[in-house]
Coordinates of all heavy atoms in Angstrom, one line a residue:
Chain B
V178 N -59.1 -10.4 20.9 CA -60.2 -11.3 20.4 C -59.8 -12.7 20.6 O -58.7 -13.1 20.2 CB -60.6 -11.0 18.9 CG1 -61.8 -11.9 18.5 CG2 -60.9 -9.6 18.6
S179 N -60.6 -13.5 21.3 CA -60.2 -14.9 21.5 C -61.4 -15.8 21.1 O -62.6 -15.4 21.1 CB -59.8 -15.1 22.9 OG -60.8 -14.9 23.8
S180 N -61.1 -17.1 20.9 CA -62.1 -18.0 20.6 C -61.8 -19.3 21.3 O -60.7 -19.6 21.6 CB -62.3 -18.2 19.1 OG -61.2 -18.9 18.6
D181 N -62.9 -20.1 21.5 CA -62.8 -21.4 22.2 C -63.7 -22.3 21.6 O -64.9 -22.0 21.5 CB -63.1 -21.1 23.7 CG -62.5 -22.0 24.6 OD1 -62.1 -23.1 24.2 OD2 -62.3 -21.7 25.8
R182 N -63.2 -23.4 21.0 CA -64.1 -24.4 20.3 C -64.3 -25.7 21.2 O -65.2 -26.5 20.9 CB -63.6 -24.7 19.0 CG -64.1 -23.8 17.9 CD -64.1 -24.5 16.5 NE -65.1 -25.5 16.3 CZ -65.3 -25.9 15.1 NH1 -64.6 -25.6 14.1 NH2 -66.3 -26.9 15.0
K183 N -63.3 -25.9 22.1 CA -63.4 -27.2 22.8 C -64.3 -27.1 24.0 O -64.0 -27.4 25.1 CB -62.0 -27.6 23.3 CG -61.0 -27.8 22.1 CD -59.8 -28.6 22.5 CE -58.9 -28.9 21.4 NZ -57.9 -27.8 21.1
I184 N -65.5 -26.6 23.7 CA -66.5 -26.4 24.8 C -67.8 -27.0 24.4 O -68.1 -27.2 23.2 CB -66.6 -24.9 25.0 CG1 -67.0 -24.2 23.8 CG2 -65.4 -24.3 25.8 CD1 -67.4 -22.7 24.0
A185 N -68.7 -27.1 25.4 CA -70.1 -27.5 25.1 C -70.9 -26.6 26.0 O -70.5 -25.9 26.9 CB -70.2 -29.0 25.6
K186 N -72.2 -26.5 25.6 CA -73.1 -25.7 26.3 C -74.3 -26.5 26.9 O -74.8 -27.4 26.1 CB -73.7 -24.6 25.3 CG -74.8 -23.7 25.8 CD -75.5 -23.0 24.8 CE -76.4 -23.9 24.0 NZ -77.4 -23.1 23.1
I187 N -74.7 -26.3 28.1 CA -75.7 -27.1 28.7 C -76.8 -26.0 29.2 O -76.4 -25.1 29.9 CB -75.2 -27.9 29.8 CG1 -74.3 -29.0 29.3 CG2 -76.4 -28.6 30.6 CD1 -73.7 -30.0 30.4
T188 N -78.0 -26.2 28.9 CA -79.0 -25.4 29.3 C -80.1 -26.2 30.1 O -80.6 -27.2 29.7 CB -79.8 -24.7 28.1 OG1 -79.0 -23.9 27.4 CG2 -81.0 -23.9 28.6
L189 N -80.2 -25.8 31.4 CA -81.2 -26.4 32.3 C -82.5 -25.7 32.2 O -82.6 -24.6 32.3 CB -80.7 -26.5 33.8 CG -79.3 -27.0 34.0 CD1 -78.9 -26.9 35.5 CD2 -79.2 -28.5 33.6
L190 N -83.5 -26.6 32.0 CA -84.9 -25.9 31.7 C -85.8 -26.1 33.0 O -85.6 -27.1 33.7 CB -85.6 -26.6 30.6 CG -84.7 -26.6 29.2 CD1 -85.3 -27.5 28.2 CD2 -84.7 -25.2 28.7
D191 N -86.6 -25.2 33.2 CA -87.6 -25.2 34.3 C -86.9 -25.4 35.6 O -87.3 -26.3 36.4 CB -88.6 -26.4 34.1 CG -89.4 -26.2 32.8 OD1 -89.8 -25.0 32.5 OD2 -89.7 -27.1 32.1
V192 N -85.9 -24.6 35.9 CA -85.3 -24.6 37.3 C -86.2 -23.8 38.2 O -86.6 -22.7 37.8 CB -83.9 -24.0 37.2 CG1 -83.3 -24.0 38.7 CG2 -83.0 -24.7 36.2
P193 N -86.6 -24.3 39.3 CA -87.5 -23.6 40.1 C -86.9 -22.2 40.5 O -85.7 -22.2 40.9 CB -87.7 -24.4 41.4 CG -87.4 -25.8 40.9 CD -86.4 -25.7 39.8
D194 N -87.6 -21.1 40.3 CA -87.0 -19.8 40.5 C -87.1 -19.4 42.0 O -87.8 -18.5 42.3 CB -87.7 -18.8 39.6 CG -86.9 -17.4 39.6 OD1 -85.8 -17.5 39.8 OD2 -87.6 -16.4 39.3
E195 N -86.3 -20.2 42.8 CA -86.3 -19.9 44.3 C -84.9 -19.9 44.7 O -84.0 -20.5 44.1 CB -87.0 -21.1 45.0 CG -88.3 -21.6 44.4 CD -88.7 -22.9 44.8 OE1 -87.9 -23.6 45.5 OE2 -89.8 -23.4 44.4
P196 N -84.7 -19.2 45.8 CA -83.3 -19.1 46.4 C -82.7 -20.5 46.6 O -83.4 -21.5 47.0 CB -83.6 -18.5 47.8 CG -84.8 -17.6 47.5 CD -85.7 -18.4 46.6
G197 N -81.5 -20.6 46.3 CA -80.7 -21.9 46.6 C -80.6 -22.8 45.4 O -79.7 -23.7 45.4
L198 N -81.3 -22.5 44.3 CA -81.2 -23.5 43.2 C -79.9 -23.3 42.4 O -79.3 -24.3 42.1 CB -82.4 -23.3 42.2 CG -83.6 -24.2 42.5 CD1 -83.2 -25.7 42.4 CD2 -84.2 -24.0 43.9
A199 N -79.6 -22.1 42.1 CA -78.3 -21.9 41.4 C -77.2 -22.4 42.2 O -76.2 -23.0 41.8 CB -78.1 -20.4 41.1
A200 N -77.2 -22.2 43.6 CA -76.2 -22.6 44.5 C -76.0 -24.2 44.3 O -74.9 -24.7 44.2 CB -76.5 -22.3 45.9
R201 N -77.2 -24.8 44.3 CA -77.2 -26.3 44.3 C -76.5 -26.8 42.9 O -75.6 -27.7 43.0 CB -78.6 -26.8 44.3 CG -78.9 -28.2 43.8 CD -78.6 -29.3 44.8 NE -78.8 -30.6 44.2 CZ -80.0 -31.3 44.3 NH1 -81.0 -30.8 45.0 NH2 -80.1 -32.5 43.8
V202 N -76.9 -26.2 41.9 CA -76.4 -26.6 40.5 C -74.8 -26.5 40.6 O -74.0 -27.4 40.2 CB -76.9 -25.8 39.4 CG1 -76.1 -26.0 38.1 CG2 -78.4 -26.2 39.2
F203 N -74.3 -25.3 40.9 CA -72.9 -25.0 40.8 C -72.1 -25.6 41.9 O -70.9 -25.9 41.7 CB -72.7 -23.5 40.5 CG -73.2 -23.1 39.2 CD1 -74.4 -22.6 39.1 CD2 -72.4 -23.4 38.0 CE1 -75.0 -22.3 37.8 CE2 -73.0 -23.2 36.8 CZ -74.3 -22.6 36.7
Q204 N -72.7 -25.9 43.1 CA -72.0 -26.7 44.1 C -71.8 -28.1 43.6 O -70.7 -28.7 43.8 CB -72.8 -26.6 45.4 CG -72.6 -25.3 46.2 CD -73.6 -25.3 47.4 OE1 -74.7 -25.8 47.4 NE2 -73.2 -24.5 48.4
D205 N -72.8 -28.7 43.0 CA -72.7 -30.0 42.4 C -71.6 -30.1 41.4 O -70.8 -31.1 41.3 CB -74.0 -30.5 41.9 CG -75.1 -30.8 42.9 OD1 -74.7 -30.7 44.2 OD2 -76.2 -31.1 42.5
L206 N -71.5 -29.1 40.5 CA -70.5 -29.1 39.4 C -69.1 -28.9 40.1 O -68.2 -29.6 39.7 CB -70.8 -27.9 38.5 CG -71.9 -28.2 37.5 CD1 -72.4 -26.9 36.9 CD2 -71.5 -29.2 36.4
A207 N -69.0 -28.1 41.1 CA -67.8 -27.9 41.8 C -67.3 -29.2 42.5 O -66.1 -29.5 42.5 CB -67.8 -26.7 42.8
A208 N -68.2 -29.9 43.1 CA -67.9 -31.1 43.7 C -67.3 -32.1 42.8 O -66.5 -33.0 43.1 CB -69.1 -31.7 44.4
E209 N -67.7 -32.1 41.5 CA -67.1 -32.9 40.4 C -66.0 -32.3 39.7 O -65.5 -32.7 38.8 CB -68.2 -33.2 39.4 CG -69.4 -34.1 39.9 CD -68.9 -35.4 40.3 OE1 -68.1 -36.0 39.5 OE2 -69.3 -35.9 41.4
E210 N -65.5 -31.1 40.3 CA -64.4 -30.4 39.8 C -64.6 -30.0 38.3 O -63.6 -30.0 37.5 CB -63.1 -31.2 40.0 CG -62.8 -31.4 41.5 CD -61.4 -32.0 41.7 OE1 -60.4 -31.7 41.1 OE2 -61.4 -33.0 42.6
V211 N -65.7 -29.7 38.0 CA -66.1 -29.2 36.6 C -65.7 -27.7 36.5 O -66.2 -26.9 37.2 CB -67.5 -29.5 36.2 CG1 -67.9 -28.9 34.9 CG2 -67.8 -30.9 36.2
N212 N -64.9 -27.4 35.5 CA -64.6 -26.0 35.2 C -65.7 -25.4 34.4 O -65.9 -25.8 33.3 CB -63.3 -25.8 34.5 CG -62.1 -25.9 35.4 OD1 -62.2 -26.0 36.7 ND2 -61.0 -25.9 34.9
V213 N -66.4 -24.4 34.9 CA -67.5 -23.7 34.1 C -66.9 -22.4 33.6 O -66.5 -21.6 34.4 CB -68.7 -23.5 35.0 CG1 -69.7 -22.6 34.3 CG2 -69.3 -24.8 35.5
R214 N -67.0 -22.2 32.3 CA -66.4 -21.0 31.7 C -67.3 -19.8 31.7 O -66.8 -18.7 31.8 CB -66.1 -21.3 30.2 CG -65.0 -22.4 30.1 CD -63.6 -21.8 30.5 NE -62.6 -22.9 30.6 CZ -61.5 -22.7 31.3 NH1 -61.3 -21.5 32.0 NH2 -60.6 -23.6 31.4
L215 N -68.5 -20.1 31.5 CA -69.6 -19.0 31.5 C -70.8 -19.5 32.1 O -71.2 -20.6 32.0 CB -70.0 -18.8 30.0 CG -69.4 -17.7 29.1 CD1 -70.2 -17.7 27.8 CD2 -69.2 -16.4 29.7
I216 N -71.4 -18.6 32.9 CA -72.8 -18.9 33.4 C -73.7 -17.8 33.0 O -73.4 -16.6 33.1 CB -72.8 -19.0 35.0 CG1 -71.8 -20.0 35.5 CG2 -74.2 -19.3 35.4 CD1 -71.5 -19.8 37.0
I217 N -74.8 -18.2 32.4 CA -75.7 -17.2 31.9 C -77.1 -17.6 32.3 O -77.6 -18.7 32.0 CB -75.7 -17.1 30.3 CG1 -74.3 -16.8 29.8 CG2 -76.8 -16.1 29.8 CD1 -74.2 -16.8 28.3
Q218 N -77.8 -16.7 33.1 CA -79.2 -16.9 33.4 C -79.8 -15.6 33.2 O -79.5 -14.6 33.8 CB -79.3 -17.4 34.9 CG -80.8 -17.4 35.4 CD -80.8 -17.6 36.9 OE1 -80.2 -18.6 37.4 NE2 -81.6 -16.9 37.6
S219 N -80.8 -15.6 32.3 CA -81.5 -14.3 32.1 C -82.8 -14.4 32.9 O -83.2 -15.5 33.4 CB -81.7 -14.0 30.7 OG -82.6 -14.9 30.1
A220 N -83.5 -13.3 33.0 CA -84.6 -13.2 33.9 C -85.6 -14.3 33.6 O -85.9 -14.6 32.4 CB -85.3 -11.8 33.6
S221 N -86.2 -14.9 34.6 CA -87.0 -16.1 34.4 C -88.4 -15.7 34.1 O -88.8 -14.5 34.1 CB -87.1 -16.9 35.7 OG -87.5 -16.1 36.7
S222 N -89.2 -16.7 33.6 CA -90.6 -16.4 33.3 C -91.5 -17.4 34.1 O -91.2 -18.6 34.1 CB -90.8 -16.4 31.8 OG -90.5 -17.7 31.3
E223 N -92.5 -16.8 34.7 CA -93.4 -17.8 35.4 C -92.8 -18.7 36.4 O -93.1 -19.8 36.4 CB -94.3 -18.5 34.4 CG -95.3 -17.7 33.5 CD -95.5 -18.2 32.2 OE1 -95.4 -19.5 32.0 OE2 -95.7 -17.5 31.3
S224 N -92.0 -18.1 37.2 CA -91.4 -18.9 38.3 C -90.4 -20.0 37.9 O -90.1 -20.8 38.6 CB -92.4 -19.4 39.3 OG -93.2 -18.3 39.7
R225 N -90.1 -20.0 36.5 CA -89.3 -21.1 36.1 C -88.0 -20.4 35.5 O -88.1 -19.5 34.7 CB -90.0 -21.9 34.9 CG -91.1 -22.7 35.4 CD -90.5 -23.9 36.1 NE -91.2 -24.4 37.3 CZ -90.9 -25.4 38.0 NH1 -89.8 -26.1 37.7 NH2 -91.6 -25.8 39.0
G226 N -86.9 -20.9 36.1 CA -85.6 -20.3 35.6 C -85.1 -21.1 34.5 O -85.4 -22.3 34.4
R227 N -84.0 -20.6 33.9 CA -83.4 -21.4 32.8 C -81.9 -21.0 33.0 O -81.6 -19.8 33.0 CB -83.9 -20.9 31.5 CG -83.2 -21.5 30.3 CD -83.8 -20.8 29.1 NE -85.0 -21.5 28.6 CZ -85.3 -21.8 27.4 NH1 -84.5 -21.5 26.5 NH2 -86.4 -22.4 27.1
I228 N -81.1 -22.0 33.2 CA -79.6 -21.7 33.5 C -78.8 -22.3 32.4 O -78.9 -23.5 32.1 CB -79.2 -22.2 34.8 CG1 -80.0 -21.7 36.0 CG2 -77.7 -21.9 35.1 CD1 -79.6 -22.2 37.4
T229 N -78.0 -21.5 31.7 CA -77.1 -22.0 30.6 C -75.7 -21.9 31.2 O -75.4 -20.8 31.7 CB -77.3 -21.2 29.3 OG1 -78.6 -21.3 28.8 CG2 -76.2 -21.6 28.3
F230 N -74.9 -22.9 30.9 CA -73.5 -22.8 31.3 C -72.6 -23.4 30.2 O -73.1 -24.4 29.5 CB -73.2 -23.3 32.7 CG -73.5 -24.7 33.0 CD1 -72.5 -25.7 32.8 CD2 -74.8 -25.1 33.4 CE1 -72.8 -27.0 33.1 CE2 -75.1 -26.4 33.6 CZ -74.1 -27.4 33.5
V231 N -71.5 -22.9 30.1 CA -70.5 -23.4 29.1 C -69.3 -24.0 29.9 O -68.8 -23.5 30.8 CB -70.0 -22.3 28.2 CG1 -68.7 -22.6 27.4 CG2 -71.1 -21.7 27.4

Side-chain angles (χ1 to χ4, degrees):
Chain B
V178 181
S179 63
S180 70
D181 207 335
R182 269 201 78 167
K183 300 200 173 84
I184 52 168
K186 177 191 71 164
I187 296 180
T188 295
L189 304 179
L190 303 169
D191 298 323
V192 177
D194 191 23
E195 309 159 0
L198 268 298
R201 161 83 182 266
V202 167
F203 292 97
Q204 281 171 330
D205 288 356
L206 286 161
E209 292 297 318
E210 296 185 47
V211 173
N212 281 351
V213 172
R214 294 290 168 199
L215 267 189
I216 303 169
I217 299 172
Q218 173 186 313
S219 67
S221 59
S222 56
E223 291 151 30
S224 305
R225 287 286 144 179
R227 173 186 277 226
I228 303 180
T229 294
F230 59 94
V231 167

